[in-house]
Amino acid sequence: MAMNGGGSTYKSADGIWHAAIDIEPDRATGRRRRLTAQGKTKAVANARLRMKLDAYVRKGFTPNSPSPRLMDWLETWYHERAEANLRPNSRRSYENAIARLNKIAGARRINSLGHKDMAAIQDGLKCYSPKTATLTWSVLKNALEAARDETLIRRNPAKMVRPVSGRRRPMKVLSPAQAAELIKAEPDPMWRLNWLLAFTTGLRQGERLGLTMDELTTLNGRRALVIDHQLQRVPDSRKADWPLGEDVTDLGNGFWLCPPKTDSGERIVVLDDVMCGALDEWLAIRKKKGVDSPMLFVTGRGTPIDRRIEYFHWDKALLRIGIANGEDGVRLRPHSARHTADTLFANAGVPESARLALMGHSDGAMDNVYLHADTEALLKASEGATGALRLTD
């Protein structure tokens, strides 16, 4: 069984048999590598080692093994390279992307993949949304690039063709007048504040639902929100194993506070008088109810608000202004409020750099807010958004 003359089998003092074998040194560092296995008997230990070695050969990691199949390499790349750096919900997206790729071309050897295979994969992804197809193609490209780094292939075939692209369906959004009507028609102070922030600050859904009491602050005498995390819910059936060093807080029941989607998501939002009025109204009610939660927005039981709960109240809010969501086959999503906010900022004459920073799009947005945009400029942006909605009329 020994490979390179480095195999051994022995019995330890506790009665357990150990089997080990030397394999090809690490291609990047030249360091020695060994496969090991254990068992209650010598035969079991050797059998388990043989299974490990067969899997290693199948994945193309030994000099004499054939090129691995795409499905085997995707599994290896995901578990050994990608998985540790992904958030729990992102892992599910990657696993689904790998399943799609395996269905289309999983049996192909990676060293035989060429233009025709890439075209076949792209054709196979046409039935999915542009976002799904783009993510799946990105997974394929990154996995094959890692195979090239391991000298398992000479070139990355995914880089030799035009990337997957698709024309996104235009997002359905509310006009400023409709947004104002929705906010005014909302009878619940908490949800009224939530809709107001959605349409006038451009906060993402997870950023709004993840607002905490600690994020309420003042900046040069003006009340503001410090956006430095978002709310995510990890299904209970999945282990919430976050990337090493990720600053996360477990809120219980599958709810987690984690950093924003991107570094530029960390930013300051200065509140104008309209926003402050809505905030104070909700804070007074919250205090009267004796809510004991770090979250700004909570359910009647004081727990964080799930996205599905917001969707339910979103549909109710739309009905109040005469819109049956999805009746025409296209649903209005809470995320569309970001597009309305961007339009309000543009109509109010907010400079593009400030608008991008407020929306959490630009690099170094937090630095821009602290160092380059004064409080009055941020306040004018908020006033411009709420003023365009004419909420004080």
Side-chain angles (χ1 to χ4, degrees):
M1 178 184 294
M3 181 179 177
N4 297 336
S8 65
T9 307
Y10 65 94
K11 187 177 183 179
S12 57
D14 58 5
I16 300 297
W17 281 91
H18 301 261
I21 190 171
D22 285 335
I23 57 177
E24 181 189 18
D26 186 279
R27 292 171 179 170
T29 66
R31 293 180 179 176
R32 176 192 183 192
R33 292 193 293 188
R34 286 171 69 83
L35 292 177
T36 62
Q38 300 178 7
K40 292 184 177 180
T41 66
K42 182 177 181 179
V44 170
N46 282 331
R48 288 176 176 172
L49 182 61
R50 172 56 64 187
M51 291 175 63
K52 281 190 173 183
L53 182 58
D54 288 346
Y56 208 77
V57 171
R58 187 178 70 251
K59 294 175 182 178
F61 284 151
T62 61
N64 298 321
S65 62
S67 175
R69 295 176 300 174
L70 179 61
M71 63 175 66
D72 293 324
W73 175 247
L74 287 172
E75 178 186 2
T76 299
W77 168 79
Y78 173 69
H79 290 299
E80 297 184 5
R81 295 282 191 96
E83 186 176 19
N85 298 317
L86 297 174
R87 294 179 177 179
N89 290 337
S90 296
R91 290 196 187 102
R92 181 167 51 184
S93 297
Y94 271 57
E95 289 163 5
N96 290 338
I98 288 173
R100 286 188 287 270
L101 291 168
N102 288 341
K103 184 178 180 180
I104 299 171
R108 296 283 294 167
R109 301 283 178 183
I110 61 173
N111 68 347
S112 66
L113 293 174
H115 283 83
K116 288 185 178 180
D117 299 289
M118 297 299 102
I121 292 174
Q122 291 185 342
D123 285 341
L125 294 177
K126 287 181 179 179
C127 62
Y128 299 99
S129 70
K131 182 178 180 180
T132 297
T134 299
L135 171 65
T136 305
W137 185 260
S138 176
V139 167
L140 174 67
K141 184 178 69 174
N142 291 337
L144 291 178
E145 187 64 16
R148 190 191 67 80
D149 292 342
E150 289 276 357
T151 67
L152 296 175
I153 55 177
R154 294 180 60 187
R155 294 182 295 179
N156 184 345
K159 286 187 171 182
M160 297 163 58
V161 297
R162 181 173 295 180
V164 167
S165 61
R167 185 180 298 275
R168 290 178 180 268
R169 182 190 300 178
M171 179 174 287
K172 188 176 180 181
V173 301
L174 292 180
S175 68
Q178 289 174 316
E181 186 181 1
L182 182 145
I183 295 169
K184 292 177 180 179
E186 177 59 61
D188 187 301
M190 185 191 77
W191 287 108
R192 187 161 57 250
L193 172 63
N194 185 48
W195 306 141
L196 177 62
L197 293 179
F199 285 112
T200 60
T201 67
L203 293 180
R204 297 179 176 90
Q205 187 180 36
E207 294 168 345
R208 282 186 286 104
L209 299 183
L211 286 171
T212 67
M213 301 300 290
D214 290 339
E215 286 181 308
L216 304 179
T217 187
T218 58
L219 180 64
N220 296 331
R222 297 296 312 191
R223 297 168 72 181
L225 300 174
V226 179
I227 311 303
D228 58 12
H229 51 249
Q230 63 176 329
L231 184 71
Q232 280 197 8
R233 188 167 194 184
V234 181
D236 294 338
S237 61
R238 299 180 57 82
K239 182 180 178 182
D241 186 13
W242 295 85
L244 185 65
E246 191 94 303
D247 183 17
V248 298
T249 302
D250 184 0
L251 300 174
N253 296 319
F255 288 103
W256 292 79
L257 285 178
C258 61
K261 184 178 179 180
T262 62
D263 289 342
S264 60
E266 297 185 4
R267 58 201 188 277
I268 292 283
V269 174
V270 176
L271 305 179
D272 72 348
D273 291 340
V274 175
M275 298 176 189
C276 288
L279 174 62
D280 287 337
E281 182 182 9
W282 165 235
L283 290 179
I285 294 174
R286 175 191 163 99
K287 182 178 180 180
K288 185 177 181 180
K289 289 182 176 181
V291 175
D292 182 20
S293 170
M295 310 305 297
L296 176 62
F297 298 121
V298 293
T299 65
R301 295 173 296 172
T303 58
I305 293 178
D306 185 88
R307 292 169 181 252
R308 292 172 297 180
I309 295 177
E310 186 182 61
Y311 268 99
F312 172 76
H313 286 274
W314 171 256
D315 286 346
K316 287 179 62 177
L318 290 172
L319 275 177
R320 291 191 194 97
I321 61 173
I323 298 176
N325 202 7
E327 188 176 48
D328 59 354
V330 181
R331 287 188 60 81
L332 265 164
R333 298 185 293 131
H335 181 76
S336 66
R338 273 175 61 80
H339 294 257
T340 303
D342 200 25
T343 299
L344 293 174
F345 287 142
N347 291 344
V350 177
E352 182 179 8
S353 59
R355 192 171 84 245
L356 291 174
L358 288 165
M359 297 288 292
H361 282 317
S362 65
D363 293 331
M366 184 65 95
D367 289 339
N368 286 340
V369 168
Y370 274 124
L371 302 178
H372 305 298
D374 59 49
T375 308
E376 289 304 314
L378 295 174
L379 177 60
K380 287 181 180 179
S382 296
E383 289 176 338
T386 56
L389 293 177
R390 299 183 179 180
L391 296 174
T392 57
D393 290 356

